[in-house]
Amino acid sequence: MHYATIKNCDIANGPGVRVSLFVSGCRHRCPDCFNEVAWDFSYGEPFTQNTIDEILRLLAPAHIRGLTLLGGEPFEPENQPELVRLLRQVKSTYPEKSVWAFSGFTLEQLQSGKLCKKEITEEFLSYLDVLVDGPFRKEEKDLSLRFRGSRNQRLIAMPQTLQTGTVVLWEDWQTANRK
């Protein structure tokens, strides 16, 4: 796996100040994508344990609320195993930090087991606090939306969704009630 960049002070891709990892590789090719350069699976730097160590270091300050994964496409089959390895270490080291992921796939597509080994995707989803799902659609672009670019995209509260088996949408109050 490769990654395009790591932002250590991101306030646009989830609540609070976050560390954001932009992975490389995406087959969606959404028209008007904001990050076309990351479609190439070889773009950027190789993702290694040193990369994970750097992300863990960047997450350490108390003012950092969590980690956001985007890209490219975090849920491409080539990216999932490495991101699961990262998330195991993040959740072990910082269980109080939230994890968000953006995907052009819908939750239903991810849970179908057709994209990657089902157990890998299930583990990945289990680490998420919020999944922003669905492709960016130019015709549904809405700049007034918080943390997403088009009206078809959902902000899914993953712990509640996995617990109930029904999609539960994330609301700002869920963040306000966290430490």
Side-chain angles (χ1 to χ4, degrees):
M1 182 180 102
H2 282 73
Y3 69 97
T5 192
I6 299 170
K7 291 188 177 181
N8 66 348
C9 189
D10 187 354
I11 59 169
N13 294 303
V17 180
R18 311 182 67 75
V19 173
S20 290
L21 171 65
F22 290 77
V23 302
S24 297
C26 183
R27 293 182 179 92
H28 297 297
R29 306 284 197 266
C30 300
D32 283 358
C33 173
F34 80 99
N35 200 13
E36 283 185 32
V37 69
W39 291 356
D40 179 352
F41 283 85
S42 298
Y43 179 77
E45 300 294 323
F47 188 84
T48 66
Q49 183 59 47
N50 287 340
T51 312
I52 293 174
D53 294 343
E54 176 66 8
I55 291 169
L56 293 172
R57 185 187 68 75
L58 292 171
L59 286 167
H63 72 277
I64 299 295
R65 295 281 296 277
L67 174 67
T68 299
L69 305 171
L70 45 142
E73 171 59 64
F75 284 93
E76 289 287 5
E78 297 87 339
N79 294 337
Q80 286 193 48
E82 287 301 310
L83 292 175
V84 166
R85 187 166 68 96
L86 165 67
L87 293 178
R88 283 182 194 133
Q89 293 178 53
V90 168
K91 283 300 191 177
S92 173
T93 307
Y94 304 111
E96 76 286 359
K97 307 268 185 181
S98 69
V99 177
W100 282 46
F102 286 72
S103 179
F105 295 110
T106 64
L107 176 60
E108 293 78 11
Q109 289 172 313
L110 294 173
Q111 290 178 320
S112 75
K114 295 178 183 174
L115 300 172
C116 190
K117 290 183 180 176
K118 190 169 181 138
E119 58 273 7
I120 293 173
T121 303
E122 286 176 351
E123 184 177 358
F124 193 157
L125 292 171
S126 77
Y127 293 123
L128 300 182
D129 293 284
V130 173
L131 172 67
V132 182
D133 82 335
F136 171 75
R137 292 195 180 134
K138 182 177 166 178
E139 65 277 6
E140 295 189 58
K141 182 177 180 176
D142 185 343
L143 296 178
S144 71
L145 297 172
R146 194 155 183 227
F147 306 131
R148 60 196 188 277
S150 58
R151 289 184 300 278
N152 63 296
Q153 296 171 313
R154 303 177 293 184
L155 281 72
I156 300 173
M158 286 308 299
Q160 296 86 347
T161 295
L162 293 174
Q163 182 178 25
T164 65
T166 303
V167 172
V168 176
L169 298 180
W170 176 86
E171 299 291 338
D172 281 334
W173 63 264
Q174 290 168 303
T175 299
N177 290 337
R178 292 186 65 135
K179 279 180 161 182

